[in-house]
Amino acid sequence: MVRRLVNRNSVAITGAIIGLFSLPFGWLTLKSSRLAAGTGLNLWEAVGWEGATVLLVLWHACLILSLSGKSRRRSIILGIAANSILVITFLFAGLAANHLIEQAAPFARVSLSAGIWITLAATYILIFASRQRLQDSRAWRNLISWGGLVIVITLLFTGWFNDLSIVQEFTGREARFQQELLQHIFLFGGSVTAGTLIGIPLGIWAVRSKRAEKPIFFIANITQTIPSLALFGLLIAPLSALSFAFPLLREIGIRGVGPTPAIIALVIYSLLPIVRNTFVSLRQLDPAVIDAGLGMGMNRRQVFRRLEVPLAAPLILEGVRIASVQSVGLTALAALIGAGGLGWFVFQGLGQAAPDLIILGAIPIIVLALVVDAVMRTLVRLATPKGLAGGEP
Amino acid sequence: MIRLEHVTKVYGETVAVNDLSIEIEKGEVCILIGPSGCGKTTTLRVTNRLLEPTSGHIFIDGRDICQIRPERLRRSIGYAIQSVGLFPHLTVAANIATVPELLHWGKDDIARRVEELLILVGLNPVEYAWKYPSQLSGGEAQRIGVARALAADPPILLMDEPFGAVDPLTRERLQAQFIRIQQELKKTVIMVTHDLDEAIRLADRIAIMELGRLVQYDTPETILSRPANKFVHDFVGTDRALKRLSRIGIGNFIRPCPSVKTSDSIKEVAAAIGSRRSVWVVNDEGRPIGWIDQSRLSESVTARETIFSGDIHEIALTNQATLREALSRMLGQGFKSIPVVDDKARLIGEITLHDVEAATADGEA
Ligand SMILES: Nc1ncnc2c1ncn2[C@@H]1O[C@H](COP(=O)(O)OP(=O)(O)O)[C@@H](O)[C@H]1O
Ligand SMILES: [Mg+2]
């Protein structure tokens, strides 16, 4: 029996159970001021019994759907239900916050509490499970992946959440937010670009030369085992020394703290997936294909351009995708060594014990990672030749 | 004309090809055969400079190929590699167009050529041009491989086990197709195989190799009737008499024979049979439909009542068949003679066991 259930749709079942567990948790927190301790409101108090009933019913529906199998239709309904829960939760949260603020003292704040964050996580587990089953229909997959998120973001722009503390943390920091967002994109984008420009040639070199292969992978693997925070820290000392010794370096912005060590660390981190995938993509090429190319009279350059590049591109881009998504997250740490980025809000929030400020940094990082992932997946798909995808032309 | 002079190729300790000298006439099919690892592939690959020989020289039409740029040389030599090696990201059409594109042919010329070649290898251009290699069966892929090698109409063709990875039935068809194409195109071909029957069927000359050395280079008939040494003798096996039969067409052995119609009377049938044991029955178009045994003549009054109508398509041979096929039909059916039909399935004569035996004896002598 248990085994059959596991076979059904274990990911979706997990998501639905987590979702049900979110309900008894605190839903909103009402504080008299930004940093004051607050009083928790549970689901019933926050959204009233109507809202609570709707969510309870929807979560049960999700659980039943995921227990009853993973047919295509069930997956679509499951995805729609998960998106509905997401939208309804935030609709009610905005509404409740508005209601609470109107009745409260002037400096009062309303924050989202654990229950809502758990709900958010649970809905994304369901969405993930649902889209796994919808490989054949890009339209449904995109709708289910992005539909709820787009609605919530639209609500955000219409001011629906203006009475939530997290939005109030944002107001007054718009300029800073924009600056750190751009800095974040600059840091991870720049380092992944550099990582790609260095990593692909290294991967090619490792394939072509037996002697280079070992040391390249030795170093690339080692970098992944150094804890990221340590790597950021490790770079401070040598770079400070360098910039101290060569004032010219300091003038062009190379210092122990700031963007330089951050970018260096991020580049080093992005190398392994790119080098590894480049290496594998070229190594797994059918030697008969290269042989046929040479035998037909292609020169080395033509073999590279006409055969190796198109056949290896999808896997190499997949490496760049992994490096990008990983890098978006790691870039959060850059703020620790004064390089800025969205991590700045996180660490400020930690310093001030202001959870909503932490979240103001964390949520955009997650959304950025999702968007980068989606964009890169599209690129990988576009780069995959039809004959390799296995589908009809 | 291709001439290899004292070609040797050494890999570290292994001598892959050892002092090989061989000459292939223009328009002839030379088949390299021998046990696995005897240097067949290596021989092909030094011929288009995918490998440089350790020593020795190779001449094509009298010109030493080491003076020709490898890429140029290879574009003038069709090469079908052992594992086909179609480019998986390109359509069948683009695969075939590879060499013409390298030679900067015009778009229209290439399109026309692709269509022509697909028809030549027996695949419908409309259906196959836009397929990808992953959508082809093994036999189809090998045919595309051959079409790709033929694309720029090279005078020379190197084929490494081109019919290797397919089932016997498909292989049979591909071989027949090769014979037809070769009759039409008259390329100078070096083909590698490890299948002796294939070599006997397709080759003008067979080169038998052992451990990198050329052991015997002769016509299939000579190889079968006069093996140069014990190795060749063992290699061609004890059934070489039978194998030789597959080199001999039945054309010279067809004898005229009597036939009767279903409407003929017993008297006419008896006259036709004479001292024979049986007579073939044909319909109004002259196509064989059965036979009448002498032993049953007395029982009936018309031919219609005495006829044995077997499945004549399984019995009759076309005039392109070989003596080996004739013999196998006779043994299979238990007949001492087999009817032969023309390409419109009309009876033109018969071939007898006695003649097959005589042909075998001739060869042994
Ligand atoms: N690249 C190579 N390096 C070392 N030895 C090789 C190489 N290619 C072929 N050989 C050796 O050379 C011999 C002949 O190989 P090959 O020409 O491929 O044989 P065949 O095609 O007749 O099976 C074999 O013993 C094989 O192991
Ligand atoms: Mg071989």
Side-chain angles (χ1 to χ4, degrees):
Chain A
M1 185 63 191
V2 171
R3 165 164 243 123
R4 255 179 64 209
L5 289 184
V6 169
N7 272 341
R8 289 255 158 105
N9 196 344
S10 42
V11 179
I13 294 169
T14 314
I17 290 175
I18 293 178
L20 280 169
F21 263 105
S22 74
L23 299 179
F25 275 87
W27 213 251
L28 294 173
T29 309
L30 179 64
K31 295 183 277 195
S32 58
S33 74
R34 179 171 174 248
L35 302 176
T39 43
L41 283 83
N42 65 25
L43 179 62
W44 299 268
E45 293 158 340
V47 305
W49 65 268
E50 307 96 328
T53 314
V54 171
L55 287 175
L56 198 64
V57 167
L58 277 172
W59 277 120
H60 273 104
C62 288
L63 184 61
I64 292 166
L65 273 169
S66 39
L67 279 172
S68 66
K70 32 181 169 180
S71 74
R72 187 189 145 80
R73 243 200 31 230
R74 282 198 189 85
S75 296
I76 290 176
I77 300 175
L78 190 66
I80 293 173
N83 276 290
S84 309
I85 292 172
L86 182 71
V87 172
I88 289 170
T89 302
F90 278 91
L91 264 177
F92 276 126
L95 210 59
N98 181 266
H99 201 67
L100 287 167
I101 288 290
E102 271 177 8
Q103 301 168 349
F107 294 108
R109 292 285 187 109
V110 177
S111 309
L112 303 174
S113 300
I116 287 188
W117 298 121
I118 298 172
T119 301
L120 186 63
T123 52
Y124 269 91
I125 293 174
L126 284 187
I127 286 171
F128 174 78
S130 155
R131 52 169 287 157
Q132 287 298 91
R133 274 288 294 130
L134 298 173
Q135 301 297 350
D136 53 336
S137 156
R138 199 175 303 153
W140 275 117
R141 219 167 58 228
N142 283 339
L143 182 72
I144 283 168
S145 308
W146 302 105
L149 191 64
V150 167
I151 294 176
V152 171
I153 289 176
T154 312
L155 285 173
L156 175 68
F157 281 108
T158 61
W160 190 266
F161 303 124
N162 280 358
D163 292 319
L164 279 174
S165 172
I166 176 171
V167 177
Q168 285 159 354
E169 293 289 343
F170 174 74
T171 2
R173 288 195 181 88
E174 289 101 336
R176 185 77 201 226
F177 184 84
Q178 199 173 13
Q179 178 198 328
E180 299 303 350
L181 177 66
L182 287 177
Q183 176 74 357
H184 203 95
I185 292 172
F186 164 75
L187 285 175
F188 100 81
S191 50
V192 171
T193 308
T196 308
L197 293 179
I198 301 168
I200 292 180
L202 276 181
I204 295 175
W205 189 22
V207 173
R208 302 264 194 263
S209 151
K210 264 250 156 348
R211 244 172 2 146
E213 180 187 333
K214 273 247 168 67
I216 288 176
F217 276 99
F218 180 72
I219 293 170
N221 280 317
I222 282 228
T223 59
Q224 297 287 307
T225 61
I226 307 175
S228 38
L229 211 53
L231 185 57
F232 280 101
L234 275 177
L235 287 166
I236 295 179
L239 284 173
S240 309
L242 269 179
S243 86
F244 194 72
F246 304 100
L248 188 70
L249 287 179
R250 188 169 10 196
E251 267 171 45
I252 59 171
I254 295 185
R255 280 175 295 135
V257 292
T260 314
I263 287 186
I264 292 177
L266 290 169
V267 168
I268 290 175
Y269 269 104
S270 64
L271 278 180
L272 181 68
I274 296 172
V275 173
R276 190 214 302 118
N277 277 39
T278 306
F279 179 84
V280 172
S281 73
L282 291 172
R283 185 44 66 83
Q284 50 113 51
L285 286 185
D286 184 357
V289 167
I290 308 304
D291 211 42
L294 290 171
M296 312 260 108
M298 291 186 188
N299 55 35
R300 274 301 331 170
R301 222 188 61 240
Q302 288 164 327
V303 167
F304 183 70
R305 208 171 53 74
R306 289 170 181 242
L307 305 179
E308 291 177 324
V309 168
L311 288 171
L315 207 55
I316 296 178
L317 279 177
E318 178 65 20
V320 177
R321 182 187 72 81
I322 295 168
S324 306
V325 173
Q326 171 187 296
S327 191
V328 170
L330 278 176
T331 301
L333 295 178
L336 276 183
I337 51 170
L342 290 165
W344 186 85
F345 295 105
V346 176
F347 294 113
Q348 283 288 309
L350 282 171
Q352 300 174 6
D356 289 313
L357 194 54
I358 300 176
I359 288 162
L360 182 63
I363 297 253
I365 292 176
I366 295 172
V367 174
L368 200 57
L370 286 174
V371 171
V372 167
D373 187 53
V375 169
M376 287 305 299
R377 275 181 200 277
T378 310
L379 277 184
V380 171
R381 204 184 63 238
L382 291 178
T384 306
K386 277 183 198 146
L388 296 190
E392 289 289 320
Chain B
M1 191 203 57
I2 307 168
R3 193 167 76 245
L4 280 71
E5 277 183 7
H6 304 289
V7 170
T8 297
K9 176 71 191 179
V10 182
Y11 291 111
E13 303 276 279
T14 325
V15 185
V17 174
N18 194 349
D19 193 29
L20 180 83
S21 296
I22 195 171
E23 202 170 310
I24 296 115
E25 294 299 329
K26 211 180 188 74
E28 276 198 356
V29 177
C30 163
I31 292 199
L32 300 179
I33 192 166
S36 175
C38 70
K40 306 180 295 289
T41 298
T42 307
T43 306
L44 281 196
R45 291 166 72 88
V46 295
T47 309
N48 67 1
R49 293 194 67 187
L50 275 175
L51 296 172
E52 296 298 333
T54 312
S55 65
H57 290 274
I58 296 157
F59 300 89
I60 289 179
D61 294 328
R63 183 157 174 218
D64 192 333
I65 61 166
C66 73
Q67 293 163 357
I68 309 173
R69 261 214 356 261
E71 286 85 26
R72 265 202 51 202
L73 177 73
R74 289 178 207 146
R75 286 170 200 177
S76 68
I77 299 179
Y79 182 36
I81 71 167
Q82 188 161 0
S83 30
V84 189
L86 293 183
F87 307 138
H89 60 304
L90 299 180
T91 60
V92 162
N95 264 283
I96 296 177
T98 305
V99 182
E101 252 166 29
L102 291 172
L103 294 172
H104 306 294
W105 286 21
K107 248 190 149 114
D108 297 339
D109 290 341
I110 292 181
R112 205 168 322 118
R113 182 67 181 149
V114 167
E115 192 175 332
E116 215 172 272
L117 282 163
L118 279 170
I119 293 169
L120 184 74
V121 298
L123 296 171
N124 177 3
V126 180
E127 188 182 342
Y128 282 90
W130 304 109
K131 287 202 180 202
Y132 284 90
S134 59
Q135 301 168 311
L136 302 174
S137 73
E140 289 164 350
Q142 293 208 306
R143 278 189 268 182
I144 303 298
V146 173
R148 185 173 66 172
L150 284 168
D153 202 17
I156 296 172
L157 210 51
L158 308 178
M159 307 172 90
D160 202 342
E161 305 199 15
F163 314 128
V166 292
D167 59 282
L169 210 74
T170 311
R171 179 184 307 199
E172 180 90 5
R173 283 220 320 273
L174 293 179
Q175 289 169 353
Q177 209 162 43
F178 174 80
I179 293 172
R180 179 176 59 71
I181 293 174
Q182 174 61 8
Q183 271 167 2
E184 196 176 316
L185 303 181
K186 289 273 172 250
K187 303 283 180 195
T188 307
V189 180
I190 308 182
M191 185 192 290
V192 167
T193 182
H194 58 243
D195 176 358
L196 184 62
D197 289 313
E198 179 167 281
I200 290 168
R201 187 167 179 202
L202 305 180
D204 292 308
R205 277 167 203 282
I206 295 180
I208 299 193
M209 294 179 69
E210 181 197 14
L211 297 171
R213 288 185 176 280
L214 181 64
V215 195
Q216 186 170 9
Y217 181 45
D218 258 313
T219 60
E221 288 82 1
T222 316
I223 296 241
L224 289 169
S225 53
R226 289 194 296 278
N229 60 15
K230 180 151 170 18
F231 174 78
V232 179
H233 184 276
D234 292 348
F235 190 78
V236 298
T238 46
D239 61 342
R240 55 207 175 87
L242 198 57
K243 288 206 167 82
R244 209 173 52 246
L245 289 181
S246 65
R247 285 293 298 182
I248 308 174
I250 60 174
N252 293 331
F253 298 87
I254 303 171
R255 315 171 159 270
C257 65
S259 64
V260 297
K261 294 210 165 109
T262 45
S263 53
D264 289 351
S265 69
I266 278 295
K267 216 182 209 161
E268 285 167 299
V269 173
I273 288 188
S275 59
R276 296 168 54 96
R277 281 181 42 187
S278 64
V279 68
W280 304 112
V281 182
V282 297
N283 63 12
D284 291 338
E285 283 96 53
R287 297 185 180 157
I289 54 168
W291 68 93
I292 293 172
D293 259 6
Q294 191 205 26
S295 57
R296 293 191 54 189
L297 267 187
S298 52
E299 295 168 18
S300 1
V301 288
T302 66
R304 197 183 307 275
E305 290 157 42
T306 51
I307 186 168
F308 286 98
S309 36
D311 186 354
I312 207 74
H313 299 289
E314 287 199 349
I315 301 168
L317 287 171
T318 67
N319 48 7
Q320 272 114 45
T322 64
L323 284 183
R324 183 179 180 157
E325 285 166 295
L327 182 61
S328 115
R329 292 286 169 93
M330 292 175 196
L331 297 175
Q333 305 286 341
F335 289 175
K336 286 220 160 66
S337 66
I338 291 285
V340 181
V341 296
D342 64 12
D343 46 8
K344 296 212 170 63
R346 289 177 308 222
L347 185 71
I348 54 175
E350 65 181 359
I351 186 150
T352 66
L353 183 57
H354 182 78
D355 291 331
V356 176
E357 280 167 356
T360 319
D362 274 359
E364 293 299 329

